[in-house]
Amino acid sequence: MTDKKIISILGAGAMGWAIAYLISVYQRGQVKLWDRDPELISWAKKTRQNPKNSNPEIIMPEDVLLLTDLEKALNASDLLVLTVPSFAVREMCQKLARFPLPPILMLSKGMEEGTSLLPFQIVEEVLGKRDILHLTGTGYGKEVHEKIPTREVLASEDERLLVEVKSLLETDWLTIETTTDLLGTQLAGALKNVIVIGIGLACSSKENPGLRTNLIKEGVREMIELGNALGAREETFFGPAGRGDLELSADPLSRNYRLGQALAEKGVAEVQKDLKEKGITVEGFHTAWAIHQLAKQYGTQLPMVEEVYQVIYEGKNPKTAANELIK
């Protein structure tokens, strides 16, 4: 990357919006923020706010370019930040295939439902081998605006890129650890989403302060078991990308946790209807099938993931599944 960094961020959702804000406010580079929704970009240009953002206090600086033209967004870029959800990674990569691309920083936490591929594996399948990084942590919103101390993990197989991108993102309140275990970092994020659904499902039926702790412990064990089978490093799952992210996400405010609660209260049919009507993306919902298939392929035992899978895809009674998780 050049000294004068041009950062292209694809996806003006909560994460993309907040990262664009952070880089611009700290004057780390020229930011170009792209989204396929012309109405969103039009509104954002007028107000410097995101109508779909749950944190309206994040006012985008005037020097951030808001675009719907993908070619203009990518022109002369030094770093591409891909913030689309995991199920949209393949489609986005197909659009990117005709452009020369810089290193790609990914934020998607999930797994492709039909192939059980992680986001970086989808990129490599569509675009070929290239420089890829992944950033994982607690999210961007209130933390960005209020400068709440936060610890995240940046992963890449290229140590030089790790140094450069860490310097671009790290602040006095945002601490970034680095690792070359890209596989383990993305796998932890995908598993976390499904495990948190299971925790929400189980905790919806029983008030027990120790239950959440026990379920997190089991969740980390399942991360390690599948990680070992795939060749990830065990220590990744004990760090911020694994246990740390799981502890923070096993909270009634998180989407996946609320999905687990909703499954227990309403059942899968009503939950699917609600998600479709509200246009809400919950990564763990689709990832459960992919991880189930991967676990079966490698012969690993993932009881929490299996209960979530059976509720969503096989019609198992949610209350029965919750009781299984509590045992």
Side-chain angles (χ1 to χ4, degrees):
M1 299 194 308
T2 63
D3 292 334
K4 179 65 174 178
K5 297 177 177 65
I6 297 177
I7 316 301
S8 303
I9 301 176
L10 305 187
M15 293 290 284
W17 189 264
I19 288 181
Y21 173 88
L22 183 151
I23 293 173
S24 178
V25 165
Y26 282 85
Q27 299 181 349
R28 300 288 172 78
Q30 172 63 58
V31 179
K32 296 191 284 187
L33 178 59
W34 173 92
D35 198 272
R36 66 180 181 180
D37 184 347
E39 292 185 5
L40 186 155
I41 293 298
S42 177
W43 174 264
K45 284 181 177 180
K46 294 174 184 176
T47 65
R48 309 309 291 183
Q49 290 181 294
N50 187 335
K52 297 182 179 179
N53 199 333
S54 59
N55 295 279
E57 294 173 323
I58 299 181
I59 307 297
M60 192 62 67
E62 292 290 339
D63 63 353
V64 173
L65 301 178
L66 301 170
L67 302 164
T68 56
D69 187 314
L70 190 56
E71 185 172 4
K72 288 182 180 178
L74 294 170
N75 184 45
S77 178
D78 296 301
L79 178 69
L80 168 58
V81 184
L82 195 59
T83 72
V84 299
S86 59
F87 63 80
V89 169
R90 183 176 296 275
E91 179 187 358
M92 193 69 241
C93 286
Q94 289 168 345
K95 293 180 180 178
L96 294 172
R98 63 190 180 93
F99 299 104
L101 299 174
I104 300 173
L105 172 61
M106 308 192 74
L107 284 83
S108 308
K109 293 181 183 179
M111 196 175 281
E112 191 172 47
E113 188 172 4
T115 65
S116 295
L117 292 177
L118 290 162
F120 85 93
Q121 295 169 328
I122 299 170
V123 172
E124 292 184 341
E125 183 173 276
V126 178
L127 300 174
K129 186 72 175 176
R130 58 185 54 250
D131 293 325
I132 298 174
L133 306 100
H134 181 81
L135 181 68
T136 184
T138 60
Y140 286 87
K142 186 177 181 182
E143 293 84 3
V144 168
H145 186 258
E146 299 184 12
K147 299 183 179 180
I148 297 172
T150 304
R151 184 177 299 275
E152 302 201 338
V153 176
L154 181 67
S156 175
E157 295 173 355
D158 187 324
E159 294 186 4
R160 176 189 59 81
L161 270 179
L162 285 174
V163 173
E164 292 188 16
V165 177
K166 177 180 177 178
S167 68
L168 177 72
L169 299 170
E170 196 167 49
T171 69
D172 53 348
W173 56 269
L174 174 59
T175 302
I176 296 179
E177 297 182 8
T178 60
T179 177
T180 55
D181 186 13
L182 180 61
L183 169 65
T185 301
Q186 287 206 348
L187 183 63
L191 280 160
K192 180 269 299 184
N193 284 333
V194 181
I195 290 165
V196 170
I197 293 175
I199 294 174
L201 181 64
C203 291
S204 66
S205 63
K206 188 170 183 179
E207 292 292 333
N208 182 342
L211 177 60
R212 177 180 176 274
T213 300
N214 291 337
L215 291 170
I216 288 172
K217 183 178 179 181
E218 168 60 20
V220 173
R221 187 203 68 77
E222 294 187 20
M223 286 182 176
I224 291 170
E225 177 154 350
L226 186 57
N228 284 339
L230 270 64
R233 297 178 201 156
E234 192 166 311
E235 61 264 27
T236 299
F237 304 105
F238 286 112
R243 186 182 187 94
D245 196 11
L246 181 56
E247 288 177 337
L248 288 163
S249 299
D251 181 284
L253 295 177
S254 81
R255 284 187 177 185
N256 287 294
Y257 189 100
R258 293 200 307 268
L259 177 63
Q261 288 181 314
L263 287 170
E265 294 167 4
K266 303 177 182 180
V268 66
E270 191 64 29
V271 166
Q272 284 180 307
K273 180 182 176 183
D274 287 347
L275 292 175
K276 185 176 181 180
E277 288 179 351
K278 296 175 182 177
I280 296 174
T281 298
V282 183
E283 291 275 21
F285 193 92
H286 303 286
T287 302
W289 190 93
I291 294 179
H292 164 80
Q293 297 299 323
L294 201 59
K296 186 166 65 172
Q297 177 184 343
Y298 283 89
T300 55
Q301 300 300 311
L302 311 180
M304 291 185 70
V305 171
E306 186 62 21
E307 291 298 335
V308 173
Y309 165 80
Q310 289 190 18
V311 168
I312 294 175
Y313 291 96
E314 296 189 356
K316 185 170 183 175
N317 185 295
K319 295 191 184 303
T320 302
N323 289 332
E324 291 293 330
L325 290 167
I326 291 168
K327 287 181 180 178

